[in-house]
Amino acid sequence: GQQVMQIPQYQHVQEGEDFTTYCNSSTTLSNIQWYKQRPGGHPVFLIQLVKSGEVKKQKRLTFQFGEAKKNSSLHITATQTTDVGTYFCAAHTGGFKTIFGAGTRLFVKA
Amino acid sequence: NAGVTQTPKFQVLKTGQSMTLQCAQDMNHEYMSWYRQDPGMGLRLIHYSVGAGITDQGEVPNGYNVSRSTTEDFPLRLLSAAPSQTSVYFCASRIDRVGSSYNSPLHFGNGTRLTVT
């Protein structure tokens, strides 16, 4: 079945450092979504990428969708303690299912 | 709007017991789904439904049953609980735009933490 690989599994950063998580699929995706889950909470939608090579920004967060629509990344510039949580990519190949990556847990030390 | 409501928040079962996890949404979403979340494994799709009367299997359907008699409700049934079903369960829904080639964002409930001893 469809699989989405997400790395790294976790990352510790000092506040102010940058952070990046990567998502890769062996199949071409119709679109990819990113979610954030705070500790003890539920996943919350951040953004959706649809077009090949698409780049979207939300303040300090930059999201990219690969040219081949098989990979994506989320980059956070100058992390803050409020960025703590687990970031998930969620992929679609055109069907009804939304398949999530394993997530990257971000720890930020003040 | 309450969004997606899950009950109960916590549940402890003994091996072999049965129970139903409830999920209701008030957003008139056609699509509803169940995920389980285990450490290091992300969110894995159990079952999903694209509308009342229609359900299908996800990645890890074994040991779980679902039904969708109304648009609002999508209960998840554990017929004979096993320790391997200890997990956090999330219900999620979304609106599906007819003719769209991509899926809309999912709205998640607050989850049910289930422990099977």
Side-chain angles (χ1 to χ4, degrees):
Chain A
Q2 177 187 349
Q3 286 192 328
V4 177
M5 305 302 295
Q6 189 174 355
I7 56 170
Q9 186 175 351
Y10 56 87
Q11 186 153 5
H12 295 258
V13 300
Q14 198 77 26
E15 189 174 25
E17 293 181 338
D18 292 356
F19 160 77
T20 305
T21 174
Y22 302 90
C23 193
N24 294 288
S25 170
S26 58
T27 58
T28 302
L29 305 172
S30 61
N31 64 299
I32 196 159
Q33 297 170 346
W34 286 92
Y35 293 78
K36 177 183 179 180
Q37 183 180 26
R38 296 182 187 276
H42 60 275
V44 175
F45 172 75
L46 293 176
I47 208 160
Q48 177 163 267
L49 305 172
V50 178
K51 298 177 183 176
S52 169
E54 189 169 15
V55 178
K56 287 188 176 181
K57 293 189 176 183
Q58 288 180 348
K59 297 183 180 179
R60 294 177 295 104
L61 278 62
T62 302
F63 304 84
Q64 294 189 359
F65 201 9
E67 293 290 341
K69 300 184 75 173
K70 289 185 176 182
N71 58 76
S72 181
S73 65
L74 158 60
H75 179 81
I76 302 178
T77 303
T79 55
Q80 300 175 357
T81 55
T82 53
D83 295 325
V84 163
T86 302
Y87 294 85
F88 293 97
C89 62
H92 308 99
T93 57
F96 294 110
K97 298 179 185 178
T98 298
I99 303 300
F100 282 77
T104 297
R105 185 161 185 183
L106 174 63
F107 300 86
V108 180
K109 186 175 181 181
Chain B
N1 288 349
V4 180
T5 302
Q6 289 185 239
T7 56
K9 290 185 179 180
F10 302 94
Q11 183 71 48
V12 179
L13 292 177
K14 294 191 171 167
T15 297
Q17 287 185 317
S18 63
M19 80 158 295
T20 299
L21 279 62
Q22 301 292 343
C23 176
Q25 52 88 14
D26 61 359
M27 299 174 283
N28 202 31
H29 285 174
E30 289 295 325
Y31 182 95
M32 296 185 74
S33 56
W34 278 100
Y35 289 88
R36 59 177 289 173
Q37 184 174 28
D38 303 291
M41 308 206 52
L43 295 150
R44 291 183 293 170
L45 182 64
I46 304 172
H47 285 286
Y48 66 97
S49 169
V50 298
I54 306 170
T55 63
D56 206 344
Q57 297 181 347
E59 302 170 276
V60 288
N62 292 341
Y64 306 95
N65 278 359
V66 293
S67 60
R68 184 97 179 268
S69 56
T70 67
T71 299
E72 295 78 18
D73 300 296
F74 191 43
L76 179 71
R77 297 184 186 84
L78 283 70
L79 299 179
S80 179
S84 60
Q85 293 179 306
T86 294
S87 187
V88 179
Y89 291 85
F90 287 102
C91 178
S93 71
R94 69 169 186 245
I95 189 166
D96 272 342
R97 295 180 176 85
V98 176
S100 175
S101 60
Y102 56 87
N103 295 332
S104 301
L106 288 168
H107 298 255
F108 282 83
N110 289 332
T112 295
R113 186 173 296 273
L114 175 67
T115 302
V116 182
T117 60

